[in-house]
Amino acid sequence: MVRIGILISGRGSNMIALAEAVRDERIPNATVAVVISDQPDAAGLERARNLGLQTLVIQRRGRSRHEHDREVIAALKERDVQLIRLAGYMRLLSPQFIQTFPNAILNIHPSLLPCFPGLDAQHQAIDHGVKWSGCTVHFVDETLDGGPIIAQRIVPVLDGDTEDSLAARILVEEHRLYAEAVALVVSGKYEVVGRRVINTSE
Ligand code: GRF
């Protein structure tokens, strides 16, 4: 059983989608060990509790990144977490955090990386005038949204799109893609060769 820890800061829709995928065994051999938020008022916390998940708030306020990360690491280790999933976690992880869980931290980003890393990816896509965008699940390394790509999915950018309408179209795909990518990583049927994540289950 792979024990997953999920870090959130906000609404937590990707966290819920993953928890449901685990519950429905679309991600076999996995369990959600804890949901940690750095924001005490994150809407996702209540949604997680409603699903019967253990939640924890570890506030960033008043702590340095180093101290905060140290507390989060300790909470994850106490619960034997092996795989960490960032789901709308609006904090950069310290190198110490990343080195503690090598190749075991996943993130989802609402663009086709390496296009439009960082904040407001949907806004960046509309501003640039691209005709297609999408989402990317990747391993987290010490670069911003730059670790090895596990899976991607595309969506069209329509002429009438606003940032919100594009974000909503991408979010539907995020929920599916993240569960599929986590299922692959939990299965262990992949290899990381340089920057490439090769699916060895096929
Ligand atoms: C998602 O669009 C995700 O790609 C980005 O932040 C948003 C989080 O949404 N990293 P939610 O909290 O999972 O609903």
Side-chain angles (χ1 to χ4, degrees), residues 110-111 116 119-127 163 166-167 170 174:
S111 77
F116 315 133
L119 291 176
D120 300 327
Q122 301 93 338
H123 178 79
Q124 292 185 56
I126 287 179
D127 237 29
E163 195 179 325
L166 177 60
I170 294 173
E174 289 186 39

Side-chain angles (χ1 to χ4, degrees), residues 33-158:
V34 66
V35 174
I36 301 178
S37 173
D38 64 332
Q39 300 293 332
D41 53 358
L45 283 168
E46 197 183 331
R47 302 176 76 185
R49 282 185 216 114
N50 290 341
L51 273 183
L53 301 175
Q54 190 190 34
T55 60
L56 204 61
V57 174
I58 303 180
Q59 282 202 66
R60 183 68 192 276
R61 186 176 300 178
R63 296 169 170 94
S64 68
R65 183 187 308 281
H66 183 75
E67 279 167 354
H68 182 253
D69 275 5
R70 204 171 48 202
E71 279 192 48
V72 177
I73 291 167
L76 293 167
K77 288 199 154 177
E78 263 168 39
R79 291 164 180 81
D80 288 326
V81 165
Q82 294 136 297
L83 188 67
I84 295 153
R85 228 191 71 143
L86 308 183
Y89 188 61
M90 303 304 286
R91 298 287 167 212
L92 283 180
L93 301 180
S94 61
Q96 165 212 13
F97 194 128
I98 292 161
Q99 285 153 19
T100 307
F101 298 100
N103 275 337
I105 310 172
L106 273 56
N107 183 40
I108 190 155
H109 185 77
S111 77
L112 294 176
L113 290 171
C115 284
F116 315 133
L119 291 176
D120 300 327
Q122 301 93 338
H123 178 79
Q124 292 185 56
I126 287 179
D127 237 29
H128 197 91
V130 293
K131 301 297 184 192
W132 293 89
S133 190
C135 46
T136 303
V137 178
H138 62 94
F139 285 113
V140 174
D141 65 11
E142 288 173 31
T143 61
L144 176 66
D145 298 325
I149 290 171
I150 302 166
Q152 292 186 303
R153 190 141 303 155
I154 59 172
V155 306
V157 181
L158 305 180

